[in-house]
Amino acid sequence: MTGTAIISALAVWGAGWFINTRLAGGSMAQTRGIKLLVPAIFGLTILIMWELLVRLLEVSPVILPPPSAIAERFGQELPLLWADFVQTIMKGAMTGYVIGALAAFTVAILADRSDFLTRGILPVGGFMAALPIVGTAPIFVKWLGSDWQSKAAVVGVMVFFPILVNTVAGLRDTTAMQRDLMRTYGAGYWATLFKLRLPAAMPFIFNGLKIATTLALIGAIVAEFFGSPTVGMGFRISTSVGQLALDLVWAEIVVSAIAGSAFYGAMAWIESRVTFWHPSQRK
């Protein structure tokens, strides 16, 4: 049975490899359809191999459920998964992300006006970024309760530093000649900030915002392990592991992966519209 499983998995991998090689090396390789089809085939190949190996090797679903079982549980638990998504992503992660981003932008502008603040805040920000979430999450739960507010606070702290550092670096990216030209035109600090320095800083700012998208989801989910109402992705994962319902755990992981990819993709799409002038966005 083991030999059959290995041969079947290798056959599926070989077929997927052959099809993708033909598509990627063909005359239409640069079209949008082929660019989307190649990763889709790769992902489907992985799922088929996973299903075959789990079924043929008779792996216990407690250890690793097959994709078909995960999909079935996903369909059965859609209302529950939606409630967990709203609690963790929409309330905890998104609220904390917005609060952390606004705080980082505000502090970056203040630090840009003062060398004293720059030298003092950035090391403190580095210290905050180094704080382990397993230490800060229980503290915020004690302070703010077990609902989504404490998760938003954890997320805000986690996303604050990468956005702050990238924003400060972006505001310093303009050259002395560009700033001198603005002064020649009689532009003050705020005119220079909005017409020169912020546009030039946008690639840096969006870099920090994209990094923070994944941190926001991780922070919100992990924080729920330390206290939450009877809803939420982190709560569901921790309780389902205890109940050996690994198919539900994987269903929550799928929801998290889809949400994270969509969040990152939305931020990348906004970046492409805002920084269309930047060389990285030119085709």
Side-chain angles (χ1 to χ4, degrees):
M1 186 64 71
T2 301
T4 303
I6 294 175
I7 292 173
S8 301
L10 289 176
V12 172
W13 177 260
W17 183 285
F18 175 78
I19 295 172
N20 267 354
T21 301
R22 299 283 292 181
L23 291 174
S27 58
M28 301 179 65
Q30 299 303 315
T31 61
R32 181 180 294 273
I34 297 299
K35 288 182 177 180
L36 293 175
L37 186 59
V38 168
I41 292 175
F42 180 81
L44 183 61
T45 302
I46 297 296
L47 289 177
I48 295 175
M49 290 176 60
W50 179 355
E51 183 81 21
L52 283 173
L53 289 172
V54 170
R55 295 289 186 183
L56 294 177
L57 294 177
E58 299 180 351
V59 179
S60 171
V62 173
I63 298 176
L64 182 64
S68 58
I70 297 171
E72 182 180 358
R73 189 63 180 267
F74 190 97
Q76 294 173 349
E77 302 290 353
L78 275 177
L80 183 68
L81 294 172
W82 174 252
D84 291 342
F85 171 82
V86 171
Q87 174 72 15
T88 303
I89 306 300
M90 300 301 294
K91 293 181 179 179
M94 294 301 296
T95 303
Y97 183 87
V98 172
I99 293 173
L102 291 176
F105 294 147
T106 302
V107 173
I109 297 298
L110 293 174
D112 184 63
R113 299 296 307 268
S114 169
D115 288 336
F116 173 75
L117 287 177
T118 302
R119 295 172 183 174
I121 288 175
L122 290 183
V124 173
F127 173 78
M128 292 173 60
L131 293 175
I133 185 175
V134 295
T136 57
I139 295 174
F140 282 114
V141 170
K142 288 292 184 181
W143 287 352
L144 303 175
S146 61
D147 210 346
W148 62 267
Q149 291 88 348
S150 57
K151 316 308 178 291
V154 172
V155 171
V157 171
M158 290 186 66
V159 305
F160 175 81
F161 181 67
I163 299 176
L164 172 65
V165 170
N166 280 276
T167 303
V168 171
L171 291 174
R172 295 178 176 178
D173 191 51
T174 54
T175 63
M177 183 177 296
Q178 291 172 325
R179 295 191 294 271
D180 289 341
L181 181 62
M182 292 297 292
R183 282 194 290 268
T184 301
Y185 291 149
Y189 173 80
W190 294 108
T192 303
L193 177 68
F194 286 109
K195 295 182 179 180
L196 171 65
R197 303 181 68 201
L198 271 180
M202 281 301 165
F204 291 84
I205 294 173
F206 276 103
N207 185 49
L209 290 173
K210 289 188 293 185
I211 293 172
T213 57
T214 55
L215 293 177
L217 267 66
I218 293 171
I221 293 173
V222 174
E224 288 184 344
F225 281 78
F226 300 94
S228 66
T230 57
V231 65
M233 298 174 70
F235 167 80
R236 197 73 55 200
I237 290 172
S238 62
T239 55
S240 297
V241 168
Q243 298 167 353
L244 301 182
L246 269 296
D247 50 355
L248 183 55
V249 173
W250 278 98
E252 293 283 0
I253 292 173
V254 170
V255 173
S256 175
I258 293 173
S261 300
F263 193 9
Y264 185 93
M267 198 57 61
W269 181 83
I270 296 173
E271 178 187 19
S272 67
R273 296 300 183 270
V274 174
T275 62
F276 59 89
W277 48 268
H278 195 264
S280 64
Q281 302 297 333
R282 296 174 186 169
K283 297 182 180 179

